[in-house]
Amino acid sequence: MDTQGWFSIDFTLNDLANVVLTQGIYSRTNKFDGNLFPILTVQDMVSQVKPPALWLNIQHDMFFTQHNLSMRSFVIATSKSVIIDYISSPEVDFLRSIAGRVSPTKTKLIFRFMGKDVLEPSINQTYGSLSKNLTFVKTFASGILVPKVYIWPVDGSNYLQAHTSLVSDAHKAGLTVFASDFVNDVPLSYNYSFDPVAETLSYVDNGAFSVDGVITDFPITSSAAIRCFAHPSKNSSVQAKPLVISFNGASGDYPGCTDLAYSKAIQDGADIIDCPVQMSKDGIPFCLSSANLIDSSNVATTKFRNLMTTAPEIQSGTGIFSFSLNWSDIQTLTPAIASPYSQFKIFRNPANKNAGKFLSLSEFLVLVKNSSVSGVLIGIENAAYLAEKQSLSVTDAVLAALSKAGFSNQTEKVMIKSTNSSVLMNIKENANYKLVYEVDENIRDANNDTVLDIKKFADSVVVMKNSVFPENQFFLTGITDVVTKLHAFKLPVYVQTFSNEFVSQAWDFFSDATVEVNSFVVGGDVDGVITDFPKTSASYKRNKCLGSAAPPYMSPVQPGSLMQVITTPMLPPAQAPYPVLIESDVDEPPLPAVKTALAPASIGGSTAPVPTQPKSGQPKLPASIFLSSLVMLLPTLFLL
C-alpha cells in the first residue's frame, strides 16, 4: 500500500538541521514543542545523553535498500565510533547480514516481532507463525522483542486472558525475551486497575515466568517496578506513612460504598475504610457517596423517578435524594460504578459496573470490625439541612450505630470527618472519637488563629491535592505552606483524592499513580492518602526502595521543574494564588435543632432514639458524604 508523506530519504542531514521535534502523541502535552529539540544522530545522542547502554532498532532495511541506502553499512560504521549493545530489527535478512560483522559477546541481535498477522518482508511469513518456530529464530538472533500482548493477550473487552507459553518456550530455545509497548498514558487492561506498576509486575513477578527486559515510554515506572516492587521479601517492613484511607471503598474497581468495594479495599490492604453517611426517609444511616441517588444507582430508571426534586442546600439542579426513599426501597436499587473520566472515554471495570449491594452503616461496621483494617472513617455532611428540612438527626443515627456495633469503647478506631465545624463540635460534645476536618477548597496557607480554631474541634485535617502542590494546566507550580503549617500545630494531614487514571494526575507525575503518591508522601510530607484505588498506595508502603538511600527513580518530583523548561511563549497564563484559610471560613453556628421529632426507626435492625438535646442545647445531627475534587490532569529499554 502506498504511503504519502515526507521521508528522511528525501533530505540530507543538513536539510534536517532546521527541523525540530514536536510531540506527536496527542494525549501528551504540547507545551514543550517550543523548545526546538533538534534531530540527533546516534553519535550526538550518545555524547549528549551518555546512556548506560545503547539499543539500535533498524526498522525498514528493505525500504532503504530500495533507495540505495545500506543500513548494514550504517550499523558497521557506527559500531566503530560507539558501543552498540543491542540491535533489533523485524527483518530476518537484515539480522542475518550483520551477524558475522558484530561481536556476539558485545552486541546482541534481537528479532523484533510485529503484529501476528503482519508478513515479515524478507521471508514472507507472518510474525505469528514465526513465534511458533523459535528454534529458527535462534539461528540468527540471541533474543526476541515482542509486543506485550504476545505474552498476556487481552480480549475484546480489554480484560486479560491466560498468559501464553511464549516466554518459557523462548527461554527453552536459548532466547532472551523483551516485551514492548509499555505506555502509561493509554488505558491498560482493567485487571491492572489503571496501575502501570502492576502491569510491569505481571511480566516480571507472576510466579510462572519473567521476561528479561521491557521497552517502555516511561522508564521511571519500569525501573521502580522491577527494582523496588518485584519479589518483595516476606520479612520486609511496612512503613507507617502514608495512612491509606479508602474513598468509597475500592471504588475504582467496584461501585462505591458497596459490599464488594469495601471487601476489595480490605483485601487490598487499606488501613482505614470509609463510609460517607446518607440518611433514608425512615431514618436509617447508610453508606453512599452522595445524597443524590442518581449519582451512584439506577434510581432514575425505576418507579422512584417521580421523586425528582430540588435541594439547593445540597446541590444545584434536581435529584432523587436518599431522604425521599425508605431504606427498604434503597436496597432494591442497582449500584452504578463511578466514571469520573468518561469525557476521555476512560471507564472503570465495566464487567462489574453494577455489581454489589449497598450497606447500612450497621452492616458496614460489622463487615470491618473483625477485618485487618485499623479503623473506620465516617463522613457526615448536610447535617443542618437534614435537621431543618427533613427532621433527621444524622449525628444521633451515627452515634447509635457505633454504640450498637461495639465501637463506644474503641474510640481510637473511629474517625468522623466533616466539612462542617458544627458537626464535629456536636460529636465532640457527645463522644470521644477522632475528629477530622475537611477543607473543601484549594488553599495556599492558613492563619495561625484559624489553625488554633480547628484544633478546638478536630484532631486532623483533610485537604485537596492542589492545596499541597498547586497546578496550572496540569503542571505543578510549586509547594504550599499548608502541610508545614498544620504540622506545626501537630495536626496530621490527609490528602484527597488519589486516583490511578493518568488523566487525574499532573504531567509532572509521568502518568504513574505511584510517582504521585511517593511525591506527596516524601516530597509533601503528608500523613495519609484518601484513594479510590487503595491497593496502589498499600503496595507503595511495602516497596523495597523506601528510605534515605532511595534510588533516583523513587525520588519525589520537584514541583515546578517541568514549568521551568517550558519556553515563555508556550507557558500557560499565570493564575491567581489560592486563598489563605481564615477564621470565618471555619467558624459556624451550632447545628440547628431537629424541627420535628422522629418516631423511633430501625437502624439496621436496631431502634434509633429520638434526637436528644446535647450540652449545647442543639440536637445531634445528620451527615452524608465528602465529594471528591478530582483533577485532570520518553522509548527506553530497561533490563532486569
Side-chain angles (χ1 to χ4, degrees):
M1 181 176 66
D2 290 338
T3 301
Q4 293 185 339
W6 289 271
F7 298 90
S8 61
I9 59 171
D10 298 321
F11 304 92
T12 67
L13 187 58
N14 285 336
D15 294 333
L16 297 175
N18 295 319
V19 176
V20 297
L21 301 172
T22 60
Q23 182 57 263
I25 300 176
Y26 300 128
S27 63
R28 300 174 185 173
T29 180
N30 65 349
K31 291 299 182 183
F32 302 110
D33 288 356
N35 288 59
L36 304 180
F37 293 116
I39 295 174
L40 299 177
T41 66
V42 174
Q43 289 81 359
D44 289 338
M45 188 274 288
V46 170
S47 64
Q48 295 180 28
V49 179
K50 296 179 174 56
L54 177 62
W55 181 306
L56 291 185
N57 181 58
I58 309 301
Q59 191 75 13
H60 302 292
D61 174 62
M62 292 185 67
F63 170 77
F64 290 114
T65 299
Q66 292 168 2
H67 293 84
N68 299 316
L69 295 169
S70 173
M71 294 305 295
R72 177 176 177 272
S73 298
F74 164 76
V75 168
I76 294 171
T78 301
S79 65
K80 294 177 181 178
S81 59
V82 298
I83 297 174
I84 305 174
D85 299 274
Y86 297 87
I87 299 174
S88 63
S89 176
E91 299 181 24
V92 172
D93 283 354
F94 171 75
L95 292 175
R96 284 171 167 170
S97 72
I98 64 169
R101 300 301 303 270
V102 297
S103 169
T105 59
K106 293 182 179 180
T107 304
K108 306 299 182 185
L109 300 184
I110 309 297
F111 181 53
R112 179 173 186 173
F113 284 76
M114 308 306 286
K116 290 186 177 182
D117 296 329
V118 176
L119 282 175
E120 192 284 334
S122 60
I123 62 172
N124 206 34
Q125 293 186 34
T126 65
Y127 289 100
S129 64
L130 287 170
S131 70
K132 297 178 174 59
N133 192 1
L134 296 175
T135 54
F136 167 68
V137 175
K138 178 61 178 173
T139 63
F140 59 87
S142 63
I144 58 174
L145 171 60
V146 297
K148 61 188 181 184
V149 294
Y150 271 66
I151 300 170
W152 278 106
V154 295
D155 62 22
S157 300
N158 205 26
Y159 287 91
L160 289 180
Q161 297 178 301
H163 67 76
T164 68
S165 62
L166 179 65
V167 176
S168 299
D169 293 343
H171 284 164
K172 289 177 183 178
L175 293 164
T176 54
V177 182
F178 301 94
S180 66
D181 300 346
F182 287 84
V183 182
N184 292 0
D185 52 359
V186 298
L188 309 176
S189 167
Y190 294 114
N191 299 76
Y192 302 126
S193 299
F194 302 98
D195 185 347
V197 169
E199 180 188 42
T200 300
L201 290 176
S202 73
Y203 287 82
V204 302
D205 184 19
N206 59 49
F209 63 84
S210 175
V211 299
D212 300 285
V214 297
I215 305 294
T216 173
D217 284 23
F218 294 85
I220 188 173
T221 297
S222 296
S223 298
I226 293 168
R227 296 291 175 84
C228 302
F229 290 85
H231 311 294
S233 169
K234 292 183 180 179
N235 299 320
S236 61
S237 60
V238 178
Q239 70 170 23
K241 289 173 59 177
L243 193 70
V244 178
I245 305 170
S246 72
F247 181 75
N248 304 328
S251 55
D253 293 304
Y254 291 100
C257 299
T258 61
D259 56 338
L260 295 180
Y262 288 128
S263 296
K264 183 69 163 55
I266 294 169
Q267 173 190 330
D268 288 346
D271 300 307
I272 303 291
I273 306 299
D274 73 304
C275 171
V277 173
Q278 310 301 333
M279 294 292 288
S280 66
K281 183 178 181 179
D282 51 347
I284 306 300
F286 66 99
C287 305
L288 200 64
S289 60
S290 169
N292 185 358
L293 297 171
I294 294 175
D295 294 340
S296 49
S297 78
N298 70 331
V299 67
T301 63
T302 70
K303 63 182 180 181
F304 305 114
R305 61 184 177 274
N306 62 339
L307 297 177
M308 189 83 68
T309 187
T310 60
E313 298 88 343
I314 295 178
Q315 67 169 53
S316 60
T318 59
I320 302 174
F321 297 96
S322 65
F323 42 78
S324 298
L325 281 75
N326 291 325
W327 173 235
S328 59
D329 297 326
I330 294 169
Q331 288 177 294
T332 67
L333 301 179
T334 300
I337 200 167
S339 290
Y341 305 106
S342 58
Q343 68 268 39
F344 302 104
K345 306 302 180 184
I346 296 176
F347 301 93
R348 293 177 172 178
N349 198 4
N352 291 284
K353 64 181 181 180
N354 300 119
K357 66 175 184 176
F358 296 127
L359 299 179
S360 69
L361 177 58
S362 294
E363 292 170 327
F364 165 82
L365 294 171
V366 169
L367 174 67
V368 301
K369 185 173 183 180
N370 298 316
S371 70
S372 59
V373 302
S374 58
V376 296
L377 175 67
I378 297 174
I380 299 180
E381 300 296 331
N382 307 319
Y385 172 84
L386 290 171
E388 290 187 304
K389 300 296 179 67
Q390 301 299 328
S391 300
L392 293 169
S393 175
V394 65
T395 51
D396 274 349
V398 167
L399 294 176
L402 286 168
S403 177
K404 181 177 184 297
F407 281 88
S408 295
N409 59 353
Q410 300 183 42
T411 55
E412 291 295 317
K413 291 187 174 183
V414 177
M415 303 165 73
I416 296 180
K417 177 181 72 69
S418 181
T419 60
N420 299 119
S421 60
S422 56
V423 168
L424 300 181
M425 290 290 286
N426 182 279
I427 296 291
K428 186 173 183 177
E429 292 175 352
N430 293 279
N432 191 31
Y433 298 118
K434 294 294 183 182
L435 303 178
V436 185
Y437 182 58
E438 178 184 344
V439 181
D440 58 352
E441 63 174 329
N442 292 320
I443 59 174
R444 71 175 188 272
D445 200 353
N447 289 338
N448 288 352
D449 289 343
T450 306
V451 182
L452 287 172
D453 273 359
I454 292 174
K455 281 186 67 70
K456 294 176 183 178
F457 57 81
D459 305 290
S460 56
V461 179
V462 170
V463 299
M464 305 298 184
K465 290 193 298 185
N466 283 8
S467 293
V468 180
F469 295 138
E471 294 181 16
N472 186 351
Q473 293 190 8
F474 317 117
F475 286 95
L476 300 186
T477 59
I479 185 169
T480 70
D481 295 324
V482 171
V483 176
T484 301
K485 175 63 66 66
L486 294 171
H487 279 174
F489 288 84
K490 302 191 184 310
L491 285 168
V493 181
Y494 311 129
V495 179
Q496 66 180 16
T497 304
F498 288 81
S499 298
N500 283 5
E501 292 96 337
F502 65 90
V503 292
S504 73
Q505 300 144 15
W507 299 114
D508 304 65
F509 300 126
F510 305 109
S511 302
D512 185 335
T514 297
V515 175
E516 182 181 42
V517 171
N518 183 57
S519 297
F520 273 86
V521 174
V522 178
D525 198 28
V526 306
D527 300 282
V529 296
I530 298 175
T531 172
D532 35 23
F533 293 92
K535 186 175 183 178
T536 296
S537 295
S539 298
Y540 165 76
K541 294 174 63 170
R542 292 166 172 79
N543 85 77
K544 298 176 291 187
C545 297
L546 297 172
S548 57
Y553 42 82
M554 283 301 292
S555 298
V557 303
Q558 298 302 308
S561 59
L562 286 186
M563 284 280 282
Q564 293 174 11
V565 296
I566 300 175
T567 56
T568 301
M570 304 292 288
L571 281 170
Q575 291 182 335
Y578 296 141
V580 175
L581 192 69
I582 59 177
E583 291 174 86
S584 61
D585 297 323
V586 172
D587 293 337
E588 293 179 353
L591 286 176
V594 176
K595 286 195 172 181
T596 303
L598 293 174
S602 171
I603 300 181
S606 68
T607 299
V610 174
T612 58
Q613 296 292 113
K615 299 175 187 176
S616 66
Q618 299 293 346
K620 296 182 266 183
L621 287 158
S624 61
I625 158 186
F626 54 95
L627 295 175
S628 61
S629 173
L630 292 170
V631 184
M632 252 195 53
L633 71 346
L634 243 136
T636 298
L637 162 75
F638 188 93
L639 300 179
L640 277 67

